[in-house]
Amino acid sequence: MIKSLLANLYGETFSPAHQERLFANIEKAKSAINAPRKRNWDQQDVVLITYADQFRQQGRKSLPVFTQFYNQWLKNSFSHVHLLPFYPWSSDDGFSVMDYHQVAPDTGDWQDVADLKKSSRLMFDFVCNHMSAKSDWFARYLRQDAGYENFFLAVDPTTDLSAVTRPRALPLLTPFTLEDGTTRHLWTTFSDDQIDLNFAEPEVLLAMVEVLLHYLQEGADYVRLDAVGFMWKVPGTSCIHLPQTHALIKLFRAITEEVAPGTVIITETNVPHKDNIAYFGDGTDEAQMVYQFSLPPLVLHAMHTTKVETLCRWAQGLTLPSSQTTWFNFLASHDGIGLNPLRGILPEDEILTLVEKLQQQGALVNWKNNPDGTRSPYEINVTYMDALSPKESSDDDRLARFVLTHALLLSFPGVPALYIQSILGSRNDYAGVETAGYNRAINRQKYDLAEIESEMAIGGGLRARVYHQLCHLLALRRELSAFHPDAKAEFSTLNEHVLQIKRENGKLTALFNFSERPQTIIHECKNARELINGVDINTSNLTLEPWQVMWIQNT
């Protein structure tokens, strides 16, 4: 499989010497891995998304501080920790990697990663599309060192690149001066500090496979392929989702299965739904999971319109290509709430209305350039807490909306992931935006350990209430077979405001009132138990309070 993928992708440019190096590295990594991965997934699997330097304490590296917090507060609620890039970096809060093989010195070292793995399975970021302009690899390219001549993609600036899909309102090409004084214009999809790697060069593939193998050896159970849709470029095309990109993912999958069977490949492609799900391949050969990017903005749309028909219709159409695949579900992350995944589901005027409403409530917006010279909103930058509620809302109202949406997240088929700011009940960090100079900082606040633990301990405070209610939901979910990622899910609307999800052929029914008014509905089973509040149901007439969720189990 690996050899045929290489032949199809590279032909004779991938020489016998290249193959010898590649397979030697694969065998070396395979022999170094002793601990088997968990096969497949179940309802116990819940992922925490976090920065490794999320919590700080004077005189200590940040990763051991995080592990301390995790063990005290979060270990019983989560099975996996997704550590956002913890390697030495120069910008973009870690996504401009200077050295793939090292842990950022202020964060800790590989032993600290191993110590966290004693408490949790781990998910690593494989930032495979680009790397830092301050990296050693790029310095060698600029020096024109042997072997690095084609590591990055130089393009004649007169080339017509108007068809290229642009996720940023920034120049696509950035000029750099080489040691001999010549200037090259290099492909920079995301910023002038993030230089795209040239995967058409076999030496780049070999170097990046070494990175992947290193992460597998360091214990990665899940591997997230960051910005993967842009990996291969052909001027004159959109340069996104190209067949060569899908072939690279198949190659990563095949190598991973050879070295560490059970490792899950997850693709991160913040694009319309039909393009996103293409990264499942045929259900056996590409990603085992894809990010469910349409879910966060569709839930916001339901919340702000108080109507669930669009969300329900989209969910009813979700299909997986095989039992070897599932969804990676989330509502919030270190990035903003993507709007491209709404395109093709909602009319553009409804998307713009949602953006305007969120802006009025304090959200920020990032924009992208379109091939026709116009620009469109690309993502909303806001904490999910503040995205859900008007500014003047009470904490009780904020909490109800927040719990409703996260109970929905946990009810969806697939593996759920919660962002650290969500379980901490965080609000918009405008001071962070002012300090950092970019919008995404609004949802990336870092905390002093003593201060955050003090806030978490205030029983009536919003943080503590969010934490305890989400932990309660997580504990319930992880014990219920009806929430197995593969268990059957049936979506329906009971009226325009109430969404119903039946799991495992109706053994559990989840009801969600996306309205500020009570909703009375007819429930078909009179002998049941509502699990969240722990009460028995002896009537077919149920009243859902504003923003209330019920998990009902037949008795």
Side-chain angles (χ1 to χ4, degrees):
M1 172 65 80
I2 295 173
K3 288 184 177 180
S4 65
L5 287 167
L6 289 169
N8 290 335
L9 193 54
Y10 291 99
E12 294 182 359
T13 63
F14 205 86
S15 68
H18 289 136
Q19 289 205 28
E20 184 177 351
R21 285 166 56 194
L22 175 65
F23 284 101
N25 288 334
I26 289 173
E27 287 305 313
K28 181 179 178 181
K30 187 176 180 180
S31 64
I33 296 174
N34 299 315
R37 267 58 170 177
K38 175 182 177 178
R39 295 283 189 164
N40 299 319
W41 38 76
D42 57 38
Q43 67 272 17
Q44 289 285 320
D45 295 330
V46 184
V47 180
L48 176 73
I49 306 168
T50 184
Y51 287 99
D53 63 348
Q54 187 63 57
F55 306 111
R56 294 164 180 167
Q57 189 176 53
Q58 189 170 0
R60 299 179 66 194
K61 303 285 189 181
S62 56
L63 186 50
V65 174
F66 171 80
T67 300
Q68 176 184 321
F69 183 92
Y70 179 81
N71 286 336
Q72 180 176 347
W73 295 89
L74 303 172
K75 182 178 178 179
N76 293 331
S77 297
F78 295 92
S79 60
H80 293 67
V81 173
H82 171 199
L83 289 175
L84 294 161
F86 50 87
Y87 328 112
W89 56 278
S90 56
S91 64
D92 198 18
D93 281 336
F95 284 89
S96 185
V97 178
M98 296 168 62
D99 188 339
Y100 291 108
H101 292 283
Q102 299 299 323
V103 177
D106 290 344
T107 299
D109 55 31
W110 286 111
Q111 183 56 53
D112 295 316
V113 176
D115 289 342
L116 175 59
K117 188 165 175 62
K118 296 173 184 175
S119 303
S120 174
R121 295 184 180 92
L122 298 180
M123 176 171 166
F124 286 6
D125 258 291
F126 185 23
V127 187
C128 49
N129 178 71
H130 51 263
M131 72 180 310
S132 171
K134 299 174 180 62
S135 64
D136 180 61
W137 289 6
F138 191 61
R140 293 186 180 191
Y141 174 84
L142 295 179
R143 290 198 306 264
Q144 299 170 282
D145 288 356
Y148 288 84
E149 301 92 341
N150 297 310
F151 249 61
F152 304 94
L153 190 61
V155 180
D156 184 332
T158 64
T159 304
D160 182 4
L161 299 175
S162 59
V164 175
T165 297
R166 300 293 293 120
R168 298 285 187 274
L170 294 168
L172 178 60
L173 302 180
T174 302
F176 290 92
T177 302
L178 276 60
E179 190 171 80
D180 65 3
T182 60
T183 297
R184 290 189 184 175
H185 290 77
L186 300 183
W187 204 290
T188 51
T189 297
F190 293 97
S191 80
D192 59 7
D193 188 45
Q194 294 167 297
I195 320 298
D196 287 47
L197 289 152
N198 179 20
F199 272 94
E201 166 59 49
E203 290 294 334
V204 170
L205 178 73
L206 288 170
M208 294 304 283
V209 167
E210 283 191 32
V211 175
L212 175 61
L213 294 175
H214 183 192
Y215 294 169
L216 297 177
Q217 291 177 79
E218 295 291 354
D221 298 273
Y222 289 2
V223 177
R224 175 185 184 268
L225 304 184
D226 174 66
V228 69
F230 299 96
M231 276 199 301
W232 200 282
K233 286 82 174 174
V234 178
T237 72
S238 65
C239 297
I240 188 171
H241 315 315
L242 297 186
Q244 296 93 328
T245 292
H246 285 280
L248 279 172
I249 298 168
K250 292 176 183 179
L251 183 58
F252 291 157
R253 165 83 178 262
I255 290 170
T256 299
E257 290 190 341
E258 176 68 22
V259 172
T263 305
V264 173
I265 298 292
I266 306 175
T267 50
E268 186 262 343
T269 51
N270 189 355
V271 294
H273 183 73
K274 64 180 178 61
D275 297 317
N276 189 29
I277 61 176
Y279 287 87
F280 281 131
D282 68 6
T284 66
D285 60 351
E286 289 192 48
Q288 289 98 332
M289 297 185 196
V290 301
Y291 272 70
Q292 187 73 281
F293 272 107
S294 297
L295 183 61
L298 281 172
V299 171
L300 281 185
H301 177 263
M303 181 62 70
H304 285 282
T305 61
T306 75
K307 296 179 180 180
V308 296
E309 290 98 332
T310 301
L311 174 63
C312 181
R313 185 169 58 251
W314 167 78
Q316 288 171 336
L318 293 176
T319 58
L320 292 167
S322 79
S323 61
Q324 297 180 38
T325 59
T326 195
W327 309 104
F328 188 83
N329 296 319
F330 72 107
L331 294 178
S333 74
H334 62 290
D335 287 339
I337 299 165
L339 297 171
N340 279 349
L342 285 179
R343 294 184 165 102
I345 300 174
L346 281 179
E348 190 68 18
D349 62 337
E350 286 195 47
I351 296 174
L352 294 175
T353 297
L354 178 62
V355 170
E356 183 178 350
K357 190 168 186 178
L358 288 166
Q359 281 184 297
Q360 292 172 355
Q361 294 176 187
L364 306 177
V365 180
N366 276 335
W367 300 80
K368 70 180 182 72
N369 288 336
N370 299 320
D372 63 2
T374 62
R375 68 173 193 161
S376 302
Y378 170 72
E379 68 176 16
I380 299 293
N381 301 113
V382 63
T383 63
Y384 215 75
M385 174 75 74
D386 283 316
L388 292 169
S389 303
K391 289 181 179 179
E392 65 275 9
S393 297
S394 67
D395 280 355
D396 286 347
D397 191 48
R398 290 184 199 284
L399 182 64
R401 293 171 185 241
F402 201 67
V403 169
L404 171 78
T405 56
H406 284 77
L408 177 66
L409 168 69
L410 298 179
S411 303
F412 249 70
V415 172
L418 275 71
Y419 185 38
I420 186 73
Q421 304 292 352
S422 294
I423 199 151
L424 296 179
S426 299
R427 306 290 303 280
N428 288 339
D429 182 19
Y430 293 109
V433 173
E434 186 173 350
T435 300
Y438 49 85
N439 290 351
R440 285 179 170 179
I442 200 169
N443 196 25
R444 295 181 177 182
Q445 188 173 359
K446 308 293 175 66
Y447 302 96
D448 175 83
L449 180 65
E451 290 178 3
I452 191 65
E453 289 192 322
S454 176
E455 288 188 50
M456 298 278 284
I458 299 174
L462 185 59
R463 285 196 193 278
R465 294 170 70 191
V466 167
Y467 166 76
H468 287 294
Q469 291 215 29
L470 292 190
C471 286
H472 175 55
L473 292 177
L474 288 165
L476 286 173
R477 183 193 187 280
R478 297 184 73 191
E479 294 302 317
L480 295 168
S481 63
F483 286 132
H484 190 289
D486 299 339
K488 185 178 180 181
E490 299 173 83
F491 294 84
S492 60
T493 58
L494 301 185
N495 62 40
E496 65 178 357
H497 305 297
V498 178
L499 178 69
Q500 176 177 263
I501 306 176
K502 290 187 176 184
R503 298 298 307 270
E504 203 177 25
N505 295 313
K507 290 183 180 178
L508 187 140
T509 300
L511 301 173
F512 307 87
N513 178 15
F514 275 81
S515 167
E516 71 279 5
R517 297 179 180 178
Q519 301 291 324
T520 299
I521 58 98
I522 305 298
H523 183 256
E524 57 196 40
C525 182
K526 294 183 180 180
N527 298 308
R529 185 167 179 80
E530 201 289 304
L531 300 175
I532 296 175
N533 292 313
V535 297
D536 292 327
I537 295 175
N538 299 309
T539 177
S540 58
N541 292 313
L542 294 180
T543 297
L544 290 160
E545 296 302 321
W547 317 116
Q548 186 179 0
V549 56
M550 291 184 180
W551 282 349
I552 301 171
Q553 187 176 50
N554 294 336
T555 58

